[in-house]
C-alpha cells in the first residue's frame, strides 16, 4: 500500500480514516490533527504555560513531543507512585520520562509520592479500604490532587493529560451504560478553570491509542511498554476491549461515538434543565485550603493524614 | 439451588435479579412483572381490544399467552412473509402460531403477503435494491404497514409487539453509538396513537430474552426455535452478542441500560429543545391514504406498486 500523499510505501494504514501514510506524512498528519483539536475547543494558546502530565507511556510522551514540536510552551510533571509490582514499573517509567526530557532539554518536575507524603500508592491502598485493595481509586485521587496543586502553585495556565480516544470512548461507554448523567456531562476535552482548580484539557481526545503508539515508535520515542500492573482486569480495560471488537466490524465507531457525544453536548442535550439542581457544596479543606465538596478535610488530606476512607 | 418463594428445587436462576425460582413461581413472577410493566407506562387497560403481533417464536407466543392469562382482550395477527430458506421458516412458524391459537380458542388473523400483494418478501427484496439484497429492511417496512393497517381497520385500540429487553438494549446501544437522537427519542415502550397510526406498545420491554424462552419452555408452548434465516449476521444480533458479553461480567447491565434510558427520558434529557425543529412533513399517500413523510406514494405503496426503491 502506498502513502496517500507522496506515493512512498505506507507505514501505517488508518482504517478509521480510510487513509494510508508513510512515516513522514503520518507524523505531520498527527501534528496537524492535534493542532486542529486544540483550536476546535480553544484548549490553550501559544502564549500560555502548559503543564503536561507524563507517565512514561506512549500517550503522554507522544503528546509532550507533539506540543513541543508545535511550538507550545510546555513543561512536564511526572508523579512517582512507588509501584514496583516485580517489574520496577515506577522506576522504569520515571527513567524514560527523565531521558525524554533531558534529550530535548525540556523541564520535568518530579513529585515522589512517598517522599512527599510518607507512603507510596500500594502502601496507602493497603492502609485504607478505598478501592477494595485495588489501588486505582487511591492512585487517581492522589494524581489528580498533585497535578492540580503543582499546576496552580507554579502558575501554569493549563494542565494537559494524554487521555486518548480509546480512553474517552471506553469511559463514555461505561457512563452511558449506567446513564451517569453527571459524569457524562463532564467528559469534555476542556474543563474550564474555577477557583482552586486549574483548567484541564485533553488534546488527544480524537487520537486513537494506536495512532499515539505509532507516533512514539516512528519518531523513536522510548516509552514503557507495560501498562500499570494494577490496571489488569479493570472495567475500563474491559470496555476498551469491547469497543475494539465493535471497531473491528465497524471502523471509526469510537470516533463517531465520542464526536457524536460532543455534538449532542453542543446541542445542550445533557445540559441541566432550569429546574434541575447540581449538587455542589463548597467547603475549604481545613488542612490544605483546597475547595472540596465535603466539610473538614478534603479526600486527599483525609487519605494522607492516616484516616481510613 | 432452591426456589426463593417455596423451597422447592429451583427451575431457573435469574442472576440479573439475584433470584432463583421453581417453575410455578417463575411463571407467576413473569405474569406479575408483565402486569407491572403494563401499568407503569399505562400501555393499555382491560377494557381495550389489543392486537398482538405473532411470529411463532418464543417471545410473541409467550407474550400472547401472558396477556391472555392476565385477562386482557387480545387477538393475534400473523404475517406470512413467504420465507422458506430451505427450512420452511414461514410455513413452520405459521403452523405453530395457528396451533397455539386454536388450542386456546383465540382469534388469529393471518395475512399472506404474497396473496395480498403478489410477491413474498424474498421476491420483493430481489426486485428492489432496498437493503442491498438483505430482506430485513423490506420485511420491516411491510410488517409495520400491515400490522398498523390491520389494527386500524379492525378497530383495535393498540398493537402490541413482543420486543424484549435484549432487543431494546441492543437497538439502544446501536443508536447510542451513533447518537441518533431521533431514534433514541422514540425507543419507548409506548408510542401514542396519532392520525393514521395505532398506539404501539412493548409490554416485554423489561423481560430478558432468556426469561421469555424459559416461560415458553416451562409452560409447554411449542414455538419455532430457528431465528429468521435472514437475520444471520445482522447488526442487531451483533450488538446483542456484545451486550451478552458485558452482561456476563456485569449482570443486569441490559436492564440498567434500558431502564436508565427511560429515567433519563422521563427527566426530559432527550426532549427537543424549544428552538429545535422536528422534521415532520405530513402528506397523504395517493394510493392508500396513509400519512407519510414523503409526497405522492408512501414507502409501502412505492414498494408494492413495483417501483425500485
Amino acid at each position: 500500500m502506498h502513502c496517500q500523499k507522496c506515493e512512498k510505501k505506507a507505514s501505517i494504514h488508518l482504517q478509521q480514516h480510510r487513509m494510508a501514510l508513510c512515516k513522514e506524512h503520518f507524523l505531520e498528519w498527527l501534528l496537524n490533527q492535534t493542532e486542529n483539536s486544540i483550536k476546535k475547543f480553544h484548549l490553550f494558546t501559544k502564549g500560555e504555560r502548559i503543564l503536561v502530565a507524563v507517565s512514561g507511556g506512549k500517550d503522554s510522551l507522544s503528546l509532550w513531543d507533539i506540543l513541543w514540536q508545535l511550538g507550545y510552551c510546555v513543561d512536564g510533571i511526572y508523579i512517582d507512585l512507588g509501584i514496583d509490582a516485580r517489574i520496577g514499573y515506577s522506576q522504569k517509567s520515571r527513567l524514560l520520562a527523565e531521558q525524554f526530557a533531558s534529550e530535548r532539554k525540556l523541564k520535568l518536575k518530579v513529585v515522589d509520592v512517598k517522599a512527599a507524603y510518607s507512603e507510596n500508592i500500594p502502601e496507602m491502598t493497603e492502609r485504607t479500604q478505598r478501592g477494595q485493595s485495588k489501588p486505582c481509586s487511591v492512585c487517581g485521587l492522589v494524581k489528580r490532587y498533585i497535578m492540580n496543586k503543582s499546576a496552580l502553585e507554579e502558575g501554569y495556565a493549563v494542565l494537559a493529560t494524554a487521555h486518548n480516544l480509546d480512553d474517552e470512548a471506553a469511559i463514555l461507554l461505561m457512563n452511558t451504560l449506567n446513564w451517569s448523567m453527571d459524569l457524562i456531562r463532564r467528559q469534555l476535552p476542556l474543563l474550564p478553570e474555577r477557583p482552586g482548580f486549574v483548567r484541564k484539557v485533553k488534546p488527544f481526545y480524537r487520537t486513537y491509542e494506536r495512532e499515539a503508539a505509532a507516533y512514539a515508535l516512528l519518531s523513536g520515542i522510548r516509552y514503557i511498554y507495560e501498562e500499570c500492573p494494577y490496571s489488569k482486569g479493570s472495567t475500563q480495560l474491559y470496555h476498551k476491549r469491547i469497543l475494539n471488537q465493535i471497531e473491528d466490524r465497524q471502523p471509526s465507531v469510537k470516533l463517531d461515538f465520542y464526536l457524536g457525544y460532543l455534538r449532542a453536548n453542543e446541542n445542550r442535550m445533557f445540559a441541566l434543565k432550569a429546574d434541575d439542581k447540581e449538587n455542589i457544596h463548597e467547603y475549604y479543606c481545613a488542612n490544605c485550603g483546597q475547595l472540596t465538596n465535603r466539610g473538614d478535610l478534603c479526600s486527599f488530606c483525609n487519605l494522607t493524614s492516616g484516616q481510613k476512607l
Side-chain angles (χ1 to χ4, degrees), chain A:
Chain A
M1 202 174 293
H2 291 281
C3 171
Q4 213 151 300
K5 303 209 171 172
C6 72
E7 296 295 311
K8 262 198 237 164
K9 195 167 170 275
S11 295
I12 185 164
H13 180 212
L14 306 171
Q15 216 184 341
Q16 66 279 15
H17 302 297
R18 298 181 185 194
M19 191 167 66
L21 294 172
C22 69
K23 173 181 157 178
E24 285 69 27
H25 281 116
F26 169 71
L27 298 178
E28 180 190 281
W29 172 82
L30 192 56
L31 255 78
N32 289 337
Q33 183 184 268
T34 310
E35 183 74 308
N36 291 339
S37 299
I38 292 165
K39 290 199 168 136
K40 163 96 184 160
F41 281 92
H42 309 288
L43 302 188
F44 42 74
T45 60
K46 289 263 155 75
E48 293 181 309
R49 285 180 66 225
I50 303 156
L51 184 64
V52 63
V54 173
S55 70
K58 61 194 185 314
D59 302 301
S60 57
L61 293 181
S62 293
L63 177 62
W64 196 5
D65 193 74
I66 288 174
L67 295 182
W68 173 62
Q69 302 266 359
L70 288 170
Y72 287 100
C73 170
V74 56
D75 298 333
I77 177 169
Y78 176 88
I79 301 177
D80 190 327
L81 306 163
I83 293 175
D84 183 68
R86 294 188 205 158
I87 58 166
Y89 178 73
S90 285
Q91 206 186 351
K92 258 197 221 170
S93 56
R94 177 174 172 165
L95 194 66
L96 288 160
E98 287 173 339
Q99 281 174 350
F100 176 95
S102 82
E103 282 164 14
R104 289 163 185 75
K105 302 194 172 38
L106 290 170
K107 187 177 156 194
L108 177 70
K109 176 188 169 88
V110 173
V111 179
D112 184 317
V113 173
K114 177 137 185 169
Y117 303 100
S118 330
E119 286 175 319
N120 61 29
I121 297 293
E123 287 163 352
M124 285 182 190
T125 307
E126 202 162 303
R127 178 174 50 78
T128 69
Q129 283 165 356
R130 192 172 169 128
Q132 301 172 317
S133 86
K134 273 287 262 188
C136 306
S137 156
V138 165
C139 186
L141 169 63
V142 170
K143 284 194 296 192
R144 279 193 302 275
Y145 184 89
I146 294 177
M147 291 187 303
N148 184 61
K149 185 167 175 277
S150 304
L152 286 179
E153 283 177 359
E154 300 180 26
Y156 288 95
V158 55
L159 174 71
T161 55
H163 290 90
N164 60 40
L165 176 63
D166 293 53
D167 299 321
E168 294 304 307
I171 296 169
L172 184 60
L173 178 61
M174 218 153 67
N175 291 336
T176 308
L177 288 173
N178 299 322
W179 295 104
S180 306
M181 297 311 300
D182 284 349
L183 297 176
I184 293 177
R185 250 178 227 122
R186 283 184 291 157
Q187 216 200 314
L188 300 172
L190 182 146
L191 286 179
E193 183 180 347
R194 55 193 182 97
F197 295 96
V198 69
R199 185 193 328 157
K200 293 190 184 76
V201 299
K202 303 172 190 166
F204 265 1
Y205 66 88
R206 55 174 302 155
T207 303
Y208 277 75
E209 192 164 296
R210 187 172 160 263
E211 293 165 2
Y215 183 90
L217 285 168
L218 294 175
S219 59
I221 295 171
R222 275 161 300 148
Y223 63 90
I224 185 159
Y225 293 122
E226 291 93 347
E227 295 282 341
C228 172
Y230 290 115
S231 71
K232 209 175 157 183
S234 79
T235 311
Q236 192 181 328
L237 273 190
Y238 182 77
H239 286 91
K240 275 191 183 181
R241 276 203 297 275
I242 291 284
L243 281 168
N244 283 340
Q245 275 184 52
I246 308 181
E247 180 90 20
D248 278 346
R249 181 184 162 107
Q250 192 183 332
S252 94
V253 69
K254 291 180 207 172
L255 197 59
D256 299 341
F257 182 43
Y258 188 67
L259 296 189
Y261 152 73
L262 292 181
R263 268 193 303 276
N265 192 69
E266 272 185 328
N267 294 332
R268 295 163 299 118
M269 203 54 77
F270 310 113
L272 287 170
K273 303 296 178 296
D275 49 349
D276 291 342
K277 283 181 207 145
E278 207 174 9
N279 285 326
I280 298 183
H281 304 286
E282 300 205 336
Y283 304 100
Y284 293 92
C285 172
N287 183 45
C288 72
Q290 187 178 277
L291 264 179
T292 166
N293 58 2
R294 39 193 281 174
D296 198 17
L297 296 184
C298 72
S299 306
F300 179 83
C301 289
N302 237 321
L303 172 71
T304 50
S305 65
Q307 303 286 322
K308 277 208 170 196
L309 292 186

